[in-house]
Amino acid sequence: MSPRLPAPGCVDVYRQVLDHTLVDADDLPCGCVDDIELEGAPGEPLRIAALLVGPGAWGPRLPALFARLVRWMGGRQVVRVPWSEVAELGEQIRLRSNALRLGLGLTDRKLGLRIAKLPGSEAVSR
Amino acid sequence: MKILELFLGILTAMGGFVEIGELTFMMNAGGIFDYRLLWVVLLGTIGIIVYGEIAGRVAAVRAQPVFDIVRERAGIRLGLLTLVASVLVCLLTCAAEIGAIALLWQLASGWPYRGLILLALAFFLLVVWFVPFKGIERIFGLLGLLMVVFVGLAWSMHPDWGDVAKGFVPSVPRAGEGKTLLYAYYTIALISSVMLPYETYFYASGAIEDKWTPRDLGTNRAIVIVGFLLGGVLAASLLVVGKLYLGPKHIEAGLPGTAALAAASRFGAIGLWTALAGMFFAFAGAAIETALCCAYNTAQFFGWPWGKFRAPRTAPRFVACWVIVFVLAAVVVLTGVDPVQVVEYSIVFSVVILPLTYFPLMAISRDRDVMGVHANGVVANTLGWFYFVVISIAAVAAIPLLLLTHGGQG
């Protein structure tokens, strides 16, 4: 049976949100939805509070041994992107703000500044 | 303009078809089993056409490269396994290509092998850093076409066309010959060498680098069908050359130099230099593609900015990835392992990850919710699942056969 898209107004968290790439307001990829934070108590409606990004979010989803390895190598850093920041769901999840404002893509920025000293690092090649 | 693009695309696909693993396995297969494995070349070529078309179509319609899809459909656990395996296999392939290039240069210059490896490393780092994506694609794809010297060679050696035609009908060697296991091993190695997974990764990422849209679907189809078929002809000629040149002498094509000598024996110095140059560009293209694939796959899996269309400054982790891969690959061959040995392993392990890569791709390409009118039709679905069964069987059998035949030694 072919899976169906959810009814209008609903979101299929597993198929439309989890493990999708995030793209910021400037069209720059800035990570994947590594985990999802839900809020609500039993008997109340569950809501997505935030999308979690970073090794601290996807590491624990792996089998225990690998989870420990990820924690040791990649740290436990997690960035919380509030659900209200989500502008659009699709192939990629579009965010309303710039990645840096949300705390995403910091590693790229740091590394980028270092690379910037090399000749040809600014060249956009087609 | 559109026609020219198409023409160049086709030639690039053809020129980029062969690398060191395919060259060695094809020539040895011809040397050992005559034309009997030609049907496998055809089977593999249609397989890569099927998956290449699907990957290109998904990339054009959804602008999603392969590892974006793997992550989305296979989830983090299976996805990460696929990623790690694919990066290891691409790294091994890259190492083998660098080693083979050093061997070629050594043949031409007589300089020390290890020094040439370092020279090749520097060459690749500079080329990938400075030359734009289109340039890389075109330079190495088009000059790799010098390999057609082997098509001419096969033709000029006057093979018995009746025997060649018989090779396209699957047949198993008679039980008494004791070569059945080796035959099975070669069948799997040839399928794998034609359907190497990096080809689809690179093709799909390249389609996004070139900003394809659904309007390019016709181009996609023409490039994979015509380009890969011509590539298949090139591969088949290597098998024919192997049979006619190596078979009678019982030589195993352990070194790329053997292929060059085969060309020299017929066409003299011009043949030698054309073959050497053709092999250089073909292997160099494969080295660049495999290194870039490691970076593409990792960046796509974790959602980092990627692509040659971005300045290195804005996609620094992507750049760091391919730099690290080139360096590690060079280190692997600097240890002194035989590049041809490395490529044997990389090809056998490649077939193991083929099903892991192609299942998510099939799942997404047949899904009408996400692909709309561009979802797989009957032909793509039937062929796609047929090949999925083929590569799954090959994946299960590959490692036991590698062990049973002592790495193809019989």
Side-chain angles (χ1 to χ4, degrees):
Chain A
M1 205 181 81
S2 147
R4 296 270 157 130
L5 282 181
C10 295
V11 170
D12 182 336
V13 178
Y14 193 72
R15 261 174 49 88
Q16 291 182 291
V17 183
L18 192 62
D19 288 324
H20 280 247
T21 309
L22 295 168
V23 181
D24 80 348
D26 301 329
D27 244 356
L28 201 68
C30 48
C32 253
V33 182
D34 292 320
D35 204 352
I36 294 169
E37 185 183 308
L38 300 174
E39 61 182 15
E44 289 173 22
L46 272 181
R47 286 179 178 286
I48 299 180
L51 308 176
L52 305 178
V53 185
W58 60 263
R61 290 172 65 198
L62 299 175
L65 182 70
F66 296 102
R68 216 171 296 162
L69 190 71
V70 169
R71 203 161 58 205
W72 177 65
M73 282 171 51
R76 338 174 162 209
Q77 187 221 5
V78 180
V79 179
R80 223 173 142 270
V81 179
W83 181 248
S84 56
E85 275 293 333
V86 173
E88 195 189 324
L89 294 179
E91 283 100 84
Q92 289 138 343
I93 297 180
R94 209 159 277 283
L95 301 174
R96 287 182 208 282
S97 328
N98 177 282
L100 290 175
R101 251 198 62 202
L102 297 167
L104 293 167
L106 294 178
T107 322
D108 273 327
R109 188 170 160 75
K110 268 186 239 158
L111 204 60
L113 287 175
R114 226 170 262 187
I115 279 187
K117 294 177 190 125
L118 298 171
S121 66
E122 303 280 354
V124 180
S125 51
R126 297 298 350 258
Chain B
M1 191 58 212
K2 195 82 187 161
I3 300 281
L4 181 71
E5 281 281 299
L6 190 66
F7 184 64
L8 287 176
I10 288 171
L11 292 184
T12 311
M14 180 188 179
F17 200 78
V18 174
E19 41 71 62
I20 172 73
E22 201 165 341
L23 180 102
T24 353
F25 270 111
M26 287 296 161
M27 293 195 70
N28 282 337
I32 304 173
F33 295 105
D34 299 347
Y35 302 124
R36 222 179 271 162
L37 282 163
L38 273 174
W39 65 275
V40 182
V41 182
L42 183 68
L43 184 75
T45 305
I46 299 176
I48 190 70
I49 289 175
V50 170
Y51 287 125
E53 195 274 331
I54 291 177
R57 176 151 43 89
V58 175
V61 173
R62 300 243 307 169
Q64 263 186 314
V66 176
F67 267 78
D68 212 281
I69 296 165
V70 168
R71 170 82 191 253
E72 194 185 307
R73 291 284 155 139
I76 186 98
R77 285 184 172 207
L78 196 57
L80 196 61
L81 177 73
T82 313
L83 174 70
V84 172
S86 77
V87 167
L88 285 178
V89 164
C90 285
L91 174 69
L92 279 185
T93 314
C94 185
E97 310 296 331
I98 293 182
I101 288 170
L103 286 177
L104 286 179
W105 284 355
Q106 195 184 27
L107 211 63
S109 69
W111 293 359
Y113 174 64
R114 287 203 166 76
L116 288 170
I117 291 177
L118 292 175
L119 197 63
L121 173 65
F123 170 78
F124 284 126
L125 291 178
L126 290 175
V127 166
V128 181
W129 180 274
F130 285 110
V131 183
F133 183 81
K134 261 264 154 21
I136 292 178
E137 215 184 4
R138 292 281 147 86
I139 293 170
F140 293 95
L142 295 181
L143 291 174
L145 279 179
L146 291 174
M147 293 280 280
V148 237
V149 71
F150 290 106
V151 180
L153 181 61
W155 187 270
S156 76
M157 289 175 108
H158 303 295
D160 181 337
W161 294 107
D163 284 351
V164 173
K166 267 186 227 151
F168 287 101
V169 182
S171 65
V172 182
R174 269 164 280 126
E177 287 172 87
K179 280 187 179 166
T180 323
L181 275 181
L182 193 64
Y183 183 83
Y185 174 73
Y186 265 90
T187 308
I188 284 170
L190 286 192
I191 289 189
S192 177
S193 74
V194 176
M195 291 182 72
L196 278 179
Y198 82 83
E199 287 165 4
T200 13
Y201 306 153
F202 188 79
Y203 185 66
S205 299
I208 296 171
E209 294 255 22
D210 288 340
K211 304 247 181 296
W212 279 14
T213 62
R215 247 185 277 162
D216 295 300
L217 285 178
T219 317
N220 172 45
R221 205 156 289 174
I223 287 177
V224 290
I225 295 180
V226 185
F228 288 169
L229 265 184
L230 290 175
V233 171
L234 185 52
S237 331
L238 288 168
L239 193 148
V240 172
V241 171
K243 140 88 176 129
L244 295 175
Y245 187 73
L246 301 178
K249 302 188 181 106
H250 300 287
I251 305 174
E252 224 184 287
L255 296 169
T258 320
L261 285 181
S265 73
R266 205 75 183 180
F267 301 134
I270 296 179
L272 178 73
W273 287 105
T274 318
L276 283 180
M279 282 193 279
F280 164 67
F281 285 108
F283 300 168
I288 292 174
E289 289 181 15
T290 43
L292 279 178
C293 276
C294 292
Y296 282 138
N297 295 356
T298 314
Q300 288 157 7
F301 190 84
F302 290 110
W304 304 338
W306 60 271
K308 285 280 297 162
F309 64 90
R310 288 196 168 90
R313 201 181 111 68
T314 50
R317 276 187 284 189
F318 169 75
V319 174
C321 272
W322 62 252
V323 171
I324 293 172
V325 169
F326 272 130
V327 172
L328 287 180
V331 169
V332 169
V333 272
L334 274 175
T335 60
V337 289
D338 179 4
V340 176
Q341 202 75 48
V342 175
V343 89
E344 280 211 42
Y345 284 106
S346 78
I347 281 192
V348 174
F349 289 120
S350 287
V351 75
V352 180
I353 61 168
L354 281 176
L356 289 175
T357 307
Y358 289 141
F359 187 78
L361 201 59
M362 278 304 287
I364 208 160
S365 61
R366 63 190 289 273
D367 188 341
R368 285 195 184 275
D369 287 342
V370 292
M371 291 291 289
V373 289
H374 301 299
N376 287 353
V378 184
V379 180
N381 261 334
T382 316
L383 283 174
W385 290 122
F386 168 74
Y387 274 98
F388 188 73
V389 173
V390 172
I391 55 176
S392 299
I393 296 172
V396 174
I399 291 178
L401 279 173
L402 177 76
L403 298 174
L404 284 172
T405 58
H406 311 287
Q409 298 305 307

